[in-house]
C-alpha cells in the first residue's frame, strides 16, 4: 500500500511539474510575441509618419531637400512592409502548440536578427556619409547624393536605436529562459542540491 501511495504522489508531482513548466513556456512565449508586436507597431508608426510627412514636404521642396524627402518616403515604404510582415508573423503561431525548443529557437533567432540588423544600420549610415562626401566632389547629381545621404543617415540612426532597444528589451528576458531550460528537459531528471 505504501508503494502504491508513493507512486501516486510521485506521478502527481511529476505531472504537476511538467504542467507548470508548460504554462511558464507559454507565458514566456506570449510575452515575447507581445514585445515583438509592440516593436512592429513602433516601426510601422515611424514608417507611416515618415511616409505622410515626407510625401507632403516633397511636393513643396526642391534641390537636396526634395531628394531627402523622397528617400525617406521610399525607405519607409519598405519599413512599413517589414513592420506589417513582422506583426503578421507575430500573430501566426498558437502558443499552445509550441515546445520549449521552438520558443528558444525563435527567441535567440530574433536576437541574432536584431544584432545583424544593427550592423546593417551602421552600414546604412556609412553609406549616407559616403554619399555626402561624393556629393562634394561631383557636380552632376550632387543634390541627389546630398539628400539621399542625409536620409540614409537619419533612417539608419533611427533603425540602430530601434534594433538596439528591442534587442536589450528581449535580452533582459533571457534570464527568465534559464529556469525553463533547466526544468523542461526531454525526459525525467532529478536535481539534488546540498
Amino acid at each position: 500500500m505504501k508503494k502504491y501511495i508513493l507512486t501516486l504522489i510521485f506521478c502527481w508531482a511529476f505531472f504537476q511539474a511538467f504542467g507548470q513548466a508548460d504554462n511558464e513556456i507559454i507565458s514566456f512565449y506570449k510575452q515575447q510575441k507581445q514585445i515583438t508586436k509592440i516593436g512592429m507597431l513602433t516601426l510601422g508608426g515611424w514608417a507611416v509618419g515618415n511616409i505622410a510627412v515626407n510625401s507632403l514636404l516633397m511636393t513643396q521642396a526642391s534641390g537636396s531637400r526634395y531628394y531627402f524627402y523622397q528617400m525617406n518616403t521610399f525607405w519607409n515604404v519598405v519599413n512599413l512592409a517589414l513592420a506589417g510582415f513582422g506583426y503578421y508573423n507575430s500573430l501566426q503561431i498558437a502558443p499552445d502548440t509550441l515546445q520549449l525548443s521552438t520558443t528558444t529557437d525563435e527567441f535567440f533567432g530574433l536576437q541574432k536578427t536584431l544584432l545583424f540588423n544593427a550592423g546593417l544600420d551602421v552600414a546604412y549610415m556609412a553609406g549616407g556619409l559616403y554619399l555626402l562626401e561624393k556629393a562634394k566632389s561631383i557636380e552632376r547629381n550632387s543634390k541627389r547624393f546630398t539628400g539621399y545621404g542625409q536620409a540614409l543617415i537619419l533612417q539608419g540612426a533611427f533603425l540602430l536605436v530601434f534594433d538596439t532597444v528591442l534587442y536589450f528589451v528581449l535580452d533582459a528576458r533571457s534570464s527568465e529562459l534559464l529556469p525553463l531550460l533547466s526544468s523542461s528537459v526531454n525526459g525525467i531528471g532529478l536535481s539534488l542540491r546540498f
Side-chain angles (χ1 to χ4, degrees):
M1 183 73 167
K2 270 186 173 177
K3 282 185 178 180
Y4 179 70
I5 292 173
L6 286 175
T7 303
L8 284 176
I9 291 172
F10 176 75
C11 288
W12 176 80
F14 177 78
F15 289 115
Q16 285 293 104
F18 274 103
Q20 181 179 0
D22 286 345
N23 289 338
E24 290 173 1
I25 293 166
I26 291 169
S27 175
F28 181 87
Y29 177 77
K30 285 181 178 179
Q31 291 171 5
Q32 175 185 326
K33 287 296 187 176
Q34 187 62 30
I35 291 169
T36 303
K37 286 178 195 174
I38 291 168
M40 294 304 102
L41 288 172
T42 302
L43 181 60
W46 169 262
V48 168
N50 266 271
I51 292 168
V53 169
N54 287 291
S55 295
L56 178 66
L57 292 173
M58 187 171 56
T59 63
Q60 303 166 4
S62 62
S64 66
R65 300 312 303 160
Y66 173 83
Y67 293 111
F68 174 76
Y69 299 136
Q70 183 184 53
M71 177 57 88
N72 283 329
T73 302
F74 293 158
W75 190 273
N76 281 286
V77 167
V78 174
N79 277 347
L80 185 59
L82 292 172
F85 175 76
Y87 188 82
Y88 175 79
N89 190 35
S90 71
L91 300 173
Q92 290 310 301
I93 301 173
D96 299 336
T97 63
L98 289 178
Q99 298 177 356
L100 181 61
S101 62
T102 308
T103 300
T104 55
D105 287 348
E106 187 174 322
F107 179 80
F108 291 118
L110 180 56
Q111 282 193 311
K112 288 177 188 175
T113 300
L114 290 169
L115 287 175
F116 179 76
N117 285 348
L120 286 177
D121 302 336
V122 172
Y124 300 147
M125 291 187 294
L129 290 171
Y130 171 77
L131 289 176
L132 289 176
E133 279 302 309
K134 187 163 179 85
K136 293 176 185 175
S137 63
I138 61 167
E139 224 171 283
R140 186 175 178 220
N141 293 326
S142 70
K143 292 178 183 177
R144 180 179 297 192
F145 287 152
T146 299
Y148 282 4
Q150 291 169 339
L152 280 174
I153 292 169
L154 172 67
Q155 297 301 324
F158 167 77
L159 290 174
L160 180 61
V161 170
F162 172 80
D163 290 331
T164 304
V165 167
L166 192 53
Y167 173 84
F168 282 113
V169 167
L170 287 171
D171 191 56
R173 298 197 62 238
S174 64
S175 63
E176 298 171 33
L177 200 53
L178 186 58
L180 295 177
L181 290 170
S182 63
S183 68
S184 296
V185 186
N186 291 334
I188 300 172
L190 179 62
S191 176
L192 299 175
R193 295 182 190 189
F194 297 95

